[in-house]
Amino acid sequence: MSALVRPRHNRVIAGVCAGIAARFGLSPWTVRIIALASCLLPGPQFLIYLALWLLLPQAP
């Protein structure tokens, strides 16, 4: 498994979903759809996404 980083390619907004997908061996679109669907539920999903955007380093 690779490290959890935001890739420079295959990103839509910040690369958070693409980084999570690469780390766990999933399709980036699968993770994006799950993230979007989770935003329909109550909770801090959007804030977690913003925090990951700020905290995850970019891939070299």
Side-chain angles (χ1 to χ4, degrees), residues 5-56:
V5 294
R6 293 184 300 123
R8 294 186 182 270
H9 58 75
N10 200 16
R11 57 197 294 184
V12 173
I13 296 176
V16 173
C17 291
I20 292 171
R23 171 66 172 92
F24 293 106
L26 301 169
S27 165
W29 282 106
T30 303
V31 177
R32 289 177 187 131
I33 290 171
I34 291 170
L36 183 63
S38 75
C39 286
L40 299 174
L41 301 171
Q45 295 86 337
F46 186 71
L47 295 175
I48 292 171
Y49 185 89
L50 290 176
L52 288 173
W53 187 351
L54 294 172
L55 296 175
L56 288 180

